[in-house]
Amino acid sequence: MSETLIQVKNLCKLYGLNRSEASAMMRAGSDKNTVYQKTGVTAALWDINLEVRRGEIYVLIGLSGSGKSTLLRCFNRLNRPTSGEVIFEEKALAEMNKQELLEFRRNKISMVFQSFGLMSHRDVLGNVAYGLEVKGISRAEREEKAMKMIEMVGLSGWEHKSCAQLSGGMRQRVGIARALANDAEVLLMDEPFSALDPALRGEMLQLLEQVCSEQNLTLLMVSHNLDDAARIASRTLLIADGRFAYDGSTQDLLDGKDPLAAALLGR
Ligand code: ADP
Ligand code: MG
């Protein structure tokens, strides 16, 4: 079995002021909605535990509002947990100082945002090379690297086009190429393909799987679509109303082997 890369231990994220009363209710088993009505606190995540192994594709699924994005953003500390820990290669994120956190985000973990946040005043090459530019890598070196990634996502010949000229699917590819160019060990993706039609989504997932295995990347991806998860995930975590609901083989989940999870997913 490959090595553990990331551990999440007893992670909770509560939004609102009256957190101690809300925590007591959650501990006693109240559901998120009741807790919100009583205390005004949203328990976005409650007592989440998981382990991600190096090189695996791990998918977080759940209904809208279940806490997927909140959890994903804890992996690079864009979200600070209310309690609990995220540990990367045996180092707790909470213990990193500002500089360490900056380096961690630059070198280890790269997030692909839902909207992709491409810069419209830059061409494809300028967007893909951006992360390397921030790292202070020379123009020749960063452009060479960026061109490789552009080729990898099938956009050769488009490098000097403005992103505004590209189709939605092509922009997604630029976003992926940009994330890959950073040489991160881990990619975080929040529903990266939800705006695409199913055929293109399938193509993108396949591309992503291929790139991850070629580069030995670890991918943590949020999806609300179990079929998409099943296409690439080695493992799936299901969260429901902020609580852990299932962690294991995606195929078992699809086959309805876990009755609770099957009910939650309407299968
Ligand atoms: P998902 O990505 O699964 O749709 P989110 O992680 O975005 O869910 O949200 C989980 C819960 O936390 C939701 O109830 C949402 O309303 C709440 N939430 C998310 N971000 C905030 C915030 N900044 N302030 C208050 N509540 C939030
Ligand atoms: Mg979300």
Side-chain angles (χ1 to χ4, degrees), residues 43-224:
L45 294 172
W46 184 259
D47 200 20
I48 300 294
N49 292 279
L50 61 93
E51 271 187 30
V52 183
R53 292 190 281 270
R54 191 182 291 281
E56 87 175 324
I57 296 183
Y58 195 96
V59 174
L60 313 172
I61 67 166
L63 301 177
S64 175
S66 56
K68 305 179 295 295
S69 298
T70 303
L71 177 56
L72 194 75
R73 293 162 70 90
C74 288
F75 286 102
N76 62 354
R77 212 166 161 77
L78 280 182
N79 266 345
R80 281 165 183 264
T82 304
S83 61
E85 288 189 296
V86 178
I87 299 163
F88 187 93
E89 287 175 337
E90 295 174 9
K91 172 105 182 157
L93 264 55
E95 283 164 17
M96 289 183 187
N97 63 31
K98 235 177 163 178
Q99 187 59 31
E100 285 172 323
L101 191 59
L102 199 69
E103 277 168 22
F104 171 67
R105 287 185 186 146
R106 272 192 194 157
N107 301 321
K108 297 278 187 178
I109 202 157
S110 193
M111 187 171 230
V112 183
F113 290 94
Q114 217 151 2
S115 59
F116 286 95
L118 298 181
M119 293 167 286
S120 52
H121 60 283
R122 285 179 169 232
D123 62 10
V124 169
L125 183 61
N127 270 284
V128 174
Y130 178 71
L132 300 171
E133 189 177 330
V134 171
K135 283 190 199 180
I137 289 167
S138 75
R139 182 176 192 135
E141 197 181 327
R142 68 182 187 247
E143 292 196 343
E144 190 191 335
K145 183 84 202 273
M147 287 300 284
K148 274 199 196 126
M149 298 305 144
I150 288 170
E151 191 187 333
M152 190 178 283
V153 300
L155 284 178
S156 294
W158 292 83
E159 55 273 9
H160 295 301
K161 296 276 194 278
S162 126
C163 288
Q165 289 172 273
L166 306 183
S167 70
M170 289 166 113
R171 281 205 290 270
Q172 313 273 41
R173 286 169 189 258
V174 178
I176 294 173
R178 185 179 54 182
L180 293 172
N182 288 339
D183 262 344
E185 291 173 26
V186 182
L187 284 186
L188 304 177
M189 297 187 139
D190 195 343
E191 309 215 27
F193 311 126
S194 55
L196 304 182
D197 66 60
L200 194 52
R201 217 160 64 217
E203 204 180 290
M204 285 288 134
L205 288 167
Q206 208 177 3
L207 171 70
L208 198 58
E209 184 180 28
Q210 181 196 329
V211 170
C212 285
S213 100
E214 280 169 14
Q215 316 254 317
N216 195 28
L217 286 172
T218 307
L219 172 65
L220 274 158
M221 188 173 87
V222 165
S223 171
H224 61 251

Side-chain angles (χ1 to χ4, degrees), residues 225-228 230 253-256 258-267:
N225 185 324
L226 183 57
D227 296 308
D228 281 359
L253 199 54
L254 269 174
D255 293 344
D258 185 298
L260 177 67
L264 279 166
L265 293 164
R267 294 222 166 211

